């Protein structure tokens, strides 16, 4: 079920009503309602994969319990690695089998050897990368003795499957999020109202900005060979805002939706395109995933505790794996590698050159380099990406593809609106219309935003980009 | 919780009021449009009474010169085609026209896409502003989504994404053809490409889409049932021969079975090899459209009063 679907518009009020009426007397009933609702939500895509979700959750629940009881370090390690192995095997099989099989065959044929590995018609379960990571964090936290296991399996299963964030995050750390399922929720008007306002802005980012931009971006990136460098530049700029609107929009809807049920989630985006460095960028972009990789991969690899070379190697490896996590395609690996390289270069330059660029220049520079990396993220193949980047730098051409001028005009309007809102949030945080002291201003803002969504949103039931990851 | 619902109710009431007010303004803009897309659709649904009606997508809109048809046949002509549309839109326009009168002649410009791909009801969403005032087109638009009938209670939703084309004619006129062009959208540019070597080979056959075929059958059947003389035309593409696609074969079959003349220009070298006739590989420019329309009407003219139409199938040189 998609957030931007009528199914969800019917589903959410029903679950909300049940949760706060039938479930209001006990945390147990509340968890059962959310668990059933989450499985229905997920089952709308493909009910067959519910078993996978249930298996992954149940396995980590039992590993967590065993880990906690076990005192022998060797056995604890074995239990911990069994959780990692099972989750990564599920992820590896469903998401990466064909990718690795194909790459293996290609690598051999490059050296003149013919190897045959059958490709499987494997359907990618939606959100598998998110819920396996979420589930794994439980075993991690118990292994590191940062969390006690839950006694009841229902809160744990609900924590993994909680519908607002199950399919595309934000990935919540077990130690932060799971305890919230153990206490009974009391309805709070303030929380619910805040949640609805956050959801409203999320829908604006998704249907007014991201889905509108997608129409242009798809037209250009879907026809590599046919466009000028200028067109690729515009399409890439649009894509930068499309993916931001899409994913940040989804995250806001998820966070707002969780608040409706009294759950707090950590934020996932913090106006990343105002970053003056890549280090800052990654503390503002997909924060939940960056934190996950930092805590469960970068630091266990040694983090920045070793030599400079070792730190850089850890950093690069983390970004490479993060790239691969995004999708079974070399384009994502190159994207990750580019961001790894950006960070290493940035650190090296900062350590050697003592010149500080003006903030505005740094922001533009980081944004421009991020856009180059986005080309690899969006292109269908690495060859296409290189061709696009090459065309942008060597053959700008004389014209820009506009396509339908109405769509183009609304795309630009969407970006400008988003920028205006983000600039105000970044530099004038006290200017807030949605939370204005005076009720008429608040009401007017909400009505205008709703009207804007209805009138300029794209309602073609488009998927969120991050569902595929 | 009561407080939350009360405030949501207030916002919804305010939104509904805003929607109604905005709807009044938007409907006024639609109804008084001096030309452009909404003028054209409104005219097709509500006012056209010409003897000859042309229906098609962008190739219908750009390739058929209404004035030439009028002058040659001595009948009034309206080109009701619209770019980016397919069989769902054609059917909706048909319902709008037939609810008022039956034209004497209907020229249907059919592309391969119209029969080989799934009908795109979403594209016919450009008709949403007319949903409330035109019950006859509702069954077509209701197929866009199960709750379309409910969503279309909102005027803001009905005008979703339409503002640019709704407002433009008030500032710039004639971009979608002048009113005096009677639905034809002339394109002045000339394509700057030559054929390097041979024509593109016949594309691979794509199976027909049953839903599109059913829509097309209904389209033809309903016009014939009302006594309209139907002519099927396949427009030329530059540099590409298409003569045996599944769609064209189906058109041939329809032509034979229903006694309808069919004119296939997609393999006519007099058109497909002349870059000077085109604005892009799929659309003719003014010169190409004039020559094409003249040629087509020369073929059609003797058939207008004929009772044995099927003899004239595939009349291309």
């Amino acid at each position: 079920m998609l957030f931007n679907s009528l199914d969800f518009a019917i589903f959410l009020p029903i679950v909300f009503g049940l949760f706060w009426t039938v479930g209001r007397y006990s945390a147990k009933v509340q968890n059962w309602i959310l668990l059933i609702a989450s499985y229905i939500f997920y089952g709308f895509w493909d009910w067959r994969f519910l078993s996978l979700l249930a298996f992954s959750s149940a396995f980590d629940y039992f590993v967590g319990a065993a880990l906690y009881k076990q005192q022998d370090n060797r056995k604890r390690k074995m239990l911990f690695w069994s959780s990692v192995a099972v989750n990564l095997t599920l992820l590896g099989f469903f998401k990466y089998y064909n990718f690795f099989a194909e790459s293996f065959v290609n690598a051999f044929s490059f050296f003149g050897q013919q190897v045959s590995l059958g490709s499987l018609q494997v359907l990618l379960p939606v959100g598998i990368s998110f819920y396996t990571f979420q589930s794994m964090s439980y075993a991690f936290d118990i292994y590191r003795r940062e969390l006690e296991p839950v006694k009841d399996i229902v809160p744990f299963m609900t924590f993994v499957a909680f519908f607002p964030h199950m399919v595309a995050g934000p990935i919540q750390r077990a130690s932060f999020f799971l305890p919230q399922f153990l206490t009974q929720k009391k309805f709070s008007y303030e929380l619910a109202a805040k949640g609805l306002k956050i959801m409203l802005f999320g829908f604006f980012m998704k249907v007014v900005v991201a889905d509108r931009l997608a129409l242009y971006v798809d037209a250009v990136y879907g026809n590599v060979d046919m466009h000028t460098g200028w067109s690729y530049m515009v399409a890439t700029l649009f894509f930068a805002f499309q993916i931001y609107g899409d994913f940040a929009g989804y995250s806001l809807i998820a966070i707002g939706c969780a608040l409706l049920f009294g759950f707090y989630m950590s934020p996932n985006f913090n106006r990343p395109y105002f970053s003056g460095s890549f280090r800052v960028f990654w503390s503002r972009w997909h924060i939940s995933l960056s934190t996950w990789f930092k805590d469960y991969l970068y630091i266990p690899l040694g983090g920045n505790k070793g030599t400079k070379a070792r730190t850089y190697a850890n950093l690069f490896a983390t970004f490479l794996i993060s790239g691969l996590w995004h999708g079974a395609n070399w384009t994502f690996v190159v994207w990750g590698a580019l961001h790894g390289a950006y960070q290493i270069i940035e650190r090296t330059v900062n350590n050697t050159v003592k010149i500080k660029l003006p903030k505005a220049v740094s922001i533009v520079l980081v944004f421009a380099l991020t856009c180059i990396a986005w080309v690899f993220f969006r292109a269908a193949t690495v060859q296409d990406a290189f061709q696009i980047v090459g065309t942008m730098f060597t053959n700008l051409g004389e014209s820009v593809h506009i396509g339908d001028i109405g769509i183009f005009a609304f795309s630009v309007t969407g970006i400008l609106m988003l920028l205006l809102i983000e600039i105000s949030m970044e530099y004038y945080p006290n200017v807030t219309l949605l939370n204005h002291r005076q009720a008429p201003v608040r009401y007017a803002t909400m009505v205008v935003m709703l009207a804007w969504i209805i009138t300029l949103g794209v309602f073609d039931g488009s998927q969120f980009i991050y569902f595929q990851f | 919780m009561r407080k939350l619902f009360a405030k949501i109710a207030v916002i919804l009431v305010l939104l509904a009021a805003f929607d109604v007010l905005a709807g009044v303004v938007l409907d006024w803009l639609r109804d008084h449009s001096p030309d452009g897309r909404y003028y054209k659709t409104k005219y097709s649904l509500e006012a056209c009474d010409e003897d000859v009606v042309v229906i098609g997508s962008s190739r219908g809109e750009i390739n058929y010169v209404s004035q030439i048809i009028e002058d040659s046949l001595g009948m009034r002509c309206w080109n009701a085609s619209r770019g980016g549309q397919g069989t769902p839109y054609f059917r909706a326009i048909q319902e709008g026209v037939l609810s008022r009168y039956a034209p004497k002649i209907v020229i249907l410009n059919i592309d391969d896409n119209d029969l080989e791909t799934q009908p795109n009801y979403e594209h016919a969403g450009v008709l949403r502003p007319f949903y409330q005032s035109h019950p006859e087109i509702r069954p077509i638009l209701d197929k866009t989504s199960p709750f379309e009938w409910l969503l279309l209670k909102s005027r803001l939703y009905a005008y979703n994404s339409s503002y640019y084309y709704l407002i433009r004619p008030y500032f710039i006129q004639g971009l979608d053809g002048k009113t005096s062009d009677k639905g034809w959208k002339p394109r002045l540019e000339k394509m700057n490409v030559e054929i390097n070597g041979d024509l593109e080979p016949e594309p691979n056959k794509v199976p027909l889409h049953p839903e599109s075929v059913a829509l097309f059958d209904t389209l033809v059947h309903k016009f014939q049932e009302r006594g309209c003389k139907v002519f099927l035309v396949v427009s030329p593409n530059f540099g590409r021969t298409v003569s045996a696609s599944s769609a064209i074969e189906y058109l041939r079959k329809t032509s034979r079975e229903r006694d309808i003349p069919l004119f296939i220009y997609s393999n006519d070298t007099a058109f497909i090899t002349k870059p000077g006739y085109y604005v892009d590989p799929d659309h003719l420019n003014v010169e190409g459209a004039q020559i094409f329309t003249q040629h087509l009407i020369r073929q059609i003219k003797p058939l207008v009063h004929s009772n044995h139409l099927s003899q004239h199938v595939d009349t291309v040189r």
Side-chain angles (χ1 to χ4, degrees):
Chain A
M1 197 183 297
L2 293 165
F3 283 160
N4 54 336
S5 69
L6 278 164
D7 297 334
F8 186 71
I10 296 165
F11 170 86
L12 183 64
I14 293 173
V15 180
F16 181 82
L18 283 173
F19 187 83
W20 291 118
T21 52
V22 180
R24 69 179 160 157
Y25 300 111
S26 127
K28 210 169 207 174
V29 181
Q30 288 180 335
N31 282 332
W32 269 110
I33 290 170
L34 288 181
L35 182 62
I36 293 166
S38 299
Y39 273 62
I40 291 171
F41 179 86
Y42 192 79
F44 259 69
W45 276 293
D46 198 326
W47 58 270
R48 290 169 302 173
F49 289 128
L50 286 173
S51 54
L52 206 63
L53 173 66
F55 170 75
S56 168
S57 317
F59 186 81
D60 280 315
Y61 169 78
F62 289 113
V63 165
L67 256 175
Y68 189 69
K69 280 183 206 145
Q70 188 55 252
Q71 296 305 318
D72 182 338
N73 270 344
R74 203 176 54 85
K75 285 183 181 164
R76 290 188 87 241
K77 216 171 233 176
M78 271 176 57
L79 280 166
F80 166 69
W81 281 108
S82 72
S83 163
V84 174
V86 165
N87 282 298
L88 292 186
T89 304
L90 288 179
L91 197 56
F93 176 73
F94 284 100
K95 190 164 174 175
Y96 298 107
Y97 173 80
N98 283 335
F99 169 68
F100 282 122
E102 239 171 66
S103 302
F104 186 72
V105 171
N106 289 343
F108 270 85
S109 56
F110 182 76
F111 293 107
Q113 301 288 317
Q114 291 306 313
V115 179
S116 168
L117 269 179
S119 73
L120 297 176
Q121 292 292 318
V122 184
L123 203 62
L124 178 67
V126 169
I128 190 169
S129 310
F130 288 93
Y131 70 71
T132 48
F133 269 39
Q134 171 111 344
S135 185
M136 256 197 290
S137 82
Y138 177 70
F140 267 115
D141 288 350
I142 293 175
Y143 177 68
R144 300 202 302 201
R145 301 190 197 281
E146 289 171 2
L147 180 73
E148 286 188 12
V150 282
K151 293 193 179 94
D152 188 356
I153 193 170
V154 178
F156 178 74
M157 303 274 280
T158 315
F159 151 75
V160 177
F162 188 43
F163 71 86
H165 76 141
M166 175 191 7
V167 289
I171 302 165
Q172 298 298 300
R173 289 274 298 267
S175 50
F176 167 73
F177 201 47
L178 182 54
Q180 295 187 45
F181 288 85
L182 304 178
T183 53
Q184 188 190 330
K185 299 284 169 230
K186 300 267 184 247
F187 179 77
S188 152
Y189 164 76
E190 282 71 28
L191 272 192
K194 189 178 172 190
L196 286 174
K197 285 178 195 169
I198 291 175
M199 286 177 80
L200 182 63
F201 188 50
F203 277 115
F204 170 82
M205 290 181 85
K206 168 66 180 161
V207 298
V208 176
V209 181
D211 289 349
R212 177 70 58 188
L213 292 169
L215 301 173
Y216 180 89
V217 174
D218 292 350
V220 174
Y221 269 78
N223 293 293
V224 178
D225 287 337
M226 293 184 65
H227 294 284
T228 61
W230 282 117
S231 301
Y232 289 129
M233 279 203 181
V234 173
T236 305
L237 177 79
F238 277 17
F239 181 67
F241 285 97
Q242 182 203 338
I243 191 160
Y244 175 53
D246 190 279
F247 195 28
Y250 181 91
S251 298
L252 286 176
I253 299 168
I255 290 167
C257 192
L259 281 175
L260 287 180
F261 298 93
F263 291 87
Y264 292 92
M265 279 189 197
S266 46
N268 216 16
F269 289 86
N270 183 23
R271 297 178 291 284
Y273 291 145
F274 291 101
S275 308
S277 71
F278 283 97
R279 188 195 279 248
V280 174
F281 178 83
W282 280 103
S283 66
R284 287 170 164 234
W285 180 275
H286 204 171
I287 301 165
S288 63
L289 183 74
S290 319
T291 316
W292 199 99
F293 273 115
K294 189 180 106 195
D295 291 347
Y296 301 126
L297 184 64
Y298 177 68
I299 292 173
L301 281 174
N304 54 6
K305 294 253 168 67
T307 60
K308 210 176 265 181
R310 181 60 204 249
T311 301
Y312 289 167
N314 292 340
L315 200 61
F316 195 74
T318 304
F319 273 96
L320 217 55
I321 291 170
S322 161
L324 191 59
W325 175 89
H326 280 84
N329 193 329
W330 287 107
T331 50
F332 295 114
V333 179
V334 176
W335 172 78
L338 271 174
H339 272 283
Y342 288 161
Q343 293 247 19
I344 292 166
I345 294 166
E346 182 177 277
R347 286 179 188 213
T348 312
V349 170
N350 284 345
N351 289 338
T352 49
V353 185
K354 293 294 171 203
I355 301 165
K356 202 164 187 271
L357 289 171
K359 180 103 189 273
V361 176
S362 313
I363 289 174
V364 171
L365 190 65
V366 169
F367 180 70
L369 290 169
T370 305
C371 282
I372 291 174
W374 284 136
V375 173
F376 288 87
F377 197 94
R378 176 59 184 80
T381 63
V382 175
Q383 289 91 319
D384 282 0
F386 276 115
Q387 189 179 332
I388 290 167
V389 174
T391 311
M392 287 200 297
F393 283 103
T394 59
N395 180 22
L396 276 175
E398 287 166 1
S399 61
V400 179
H401 168 78
I402 298 290
D404 184 299
I405 195 160
I407 290 173
F408 193 85
F410 294 139
S411 301
V412 174
T413 313
I415 291 178
L416 291 177
M417 275 297 292
L418 182 62
L419 274 176
L420 200 67
I421 295 167
E422 297 252 302
I423 287 169
S424 123
M425 287 162 87
E426 180 78 11
Y427 299 110
Y428 310 97
N430 295 327
V431 182
T432 163
L433 297 177
L434 264 180
N435 297 304
H436 199 273
R437 274 181 300 115
Q438 294 187 331
V441 179
R442 286 200 306 273
Y443 282 99
T445 308
M446 280 184 262
V447 169
V448 168
M449 272 191 95
L450 279 168
W452 194 292
I453 289 170
I454 296 168
T455 206
L456 283 181
V458 176
F459 299 103
D460 59 359
S462 63
Q463 290 268 358
F464 288 85
I465 295 174
Y466 263 69
F467 278 20
Q468 61 188 294
F469 311 141
Chain B
M1 184 116 47
R2 208 168 287 167
K3 190 176 167 189
L4 181 75
F5 286 132
K7 292 205 171 184
I8 290 174
V10 170
I11 289 167
L12 291 180
V13 168
L14 288 172
L15 181 66
F18 185 77
D19 191 281
V20 171
L21 282 175
V24 171
V25 176
L26 294 166
D27 285 345
W28 189 92
L29 286 170
R30 177 199 67 188
D31 293 342
H32 293 83
S33 189
D35 75 352
R37 301 180 183 198
Y38 289 93
Y39 163 82
K40 192 172 170 182
T41 305
K42 188 174 161 59
Y43 185 82
S44 300
L45 289 173
E46 296 177 0
C48 76
D49 58 357
E50 282 77 358
D51 306 309
V52 184
V53 171
V54 180
I55 294 179
S57 59
S58 57
R59 277 142 65 83
E61 193 173 23
I62 292 168
N63 295 356
Y64 297 78
V65 188
S66 304
Q67 194 59 54
I68 293 175
I69 298 173
E70 288 197 350
D71 294 344
S72 307
L73 296 181
M75 294 174 174
R76 288 162 58 240
C77 173
W78 171 246
N79 188 334
S81 309
R82 173 131 181 199
Q85 296 299 331
T87 42
Y89 182 87
F90 306 163
R91 279 280 299 115
I93 290 295
Q94 176 184 47
E95 292 296 334
V97 170
L98 290 183
S99 68
R100 292 179 294 105
Y101 82 111
K104 287 180 186 151
I105 292 173
V106 174
I107 299 173
L108 290 177
N109 183 87
I110 301 296
D111 296 326
D112 283 357
N113 278 344
D114 294 327
L115 298 178
E116 293 171 358
T117 57
Q118 192 175 7
N120 195 330
Y121 288 98
E122 187 52 48
H123 283 192
V126 295
L127 290 163
R128 283 183 181 119
F130 301 92
Y131 183 90
Q132 292 298 352
S133 51
H134 288 271
E136 72 276 7
I137 66 169
R138 289 180 194 167
I140 309 281
L141 285 175
D142 283 344
K143 294 205 170 167
T144 312
S145 78
F147 297 100
E148 200 64 15
W149 60 273
L150 182 64
L151 294 169
L152 279 165
K153 303 273 180 216
S154 158
R155 299 309 287 156
L156 286 173
Y157 177 77
Y159 283 93
N160 176 284
S161 305
S162 66
Y163 300 116
Y164 176 76
Y165 293 112
L166 185 66
I167 294 168
R168 188 173 75 179
Y170 287 92
F171 297 96
I172 314 164
Q173 289 177 17
L175 286 182
D176 289 311
K178 296 179 189 133
T179 49
S180 57
D181 289 322
K182 295 163 188 171
W184 174 49
K185 185 174 172 179
R187 296 289 300 270
L188 295 165
E189 310 93 299
K190 250 184 195 166
M191 195 172 66
N192 192 18
V193 180
E194 292 290 338
I195 292 182
N196 297 320
D198 296 333
L199 292 165
E200 272 183 43
E202 186 89 23
N204 291 334
K205 260 195 181 167
V206 176
L208 295 168
H209 194 286
E211 204 181 335
S212 294
V213 170
L215 277 170
F216 168 76
D217 286 344
T218 312
L219 189 71
V220 172
H221 172 72
K222 285 208 169 188
F223 276 132
Q224 285 197 309
E225 198 180 50
R226 291 290 299 274
C228 310
K229 227 160 225 179
V230 178
F231 296 91
L232 298 172
V233 185
V234 180
S235 285
N237 310 285
F238 173 70
R240 192 153 48 98
T241 311
V242 186
S243 61
S245 65
S246 307
I248 289 180
E249 283 182 2
Y250 190 77
L251 292 177
R252 286 196 177 105
K253 181 171 165 266
T254 305
S255 166
R256 278 194 306 272
E257 290 175 357
R258 290 183 177 271
D259 198 17
I260 299 174
L262 167 68
F263 303 95
I264 301 170
Y265 282 88
S266 55
N267 60 356
D268 186 344
T269 49
F271 287 95
I272 63 176
T273 57
K274 304 267 173 58
Y277 287 176
Y278 291 83
V279 62
D280 63 52
D282 295 323
H283 304 99
L284 297 167
N285 57 25
V286 170
E287 186 191 349
Q290 285 169 343
I291 294 169
F292 168 73
T293 310
Q294 279 162 357
H295 187 273
L296 175 70
I297 293 303
R298 273 204 299 276
Q299 315 276 326
I300 286 180
K301 201 171 179 180
L303 304 175
V304 169
H305 302 292
S306 164
N307 290 324
H308 303 289
L309 299 173
S310 62
Q311 301 167 20
H312 303 281
V313 168
D314 271 324
T315 52
V316 171
R317 283 171 281 189

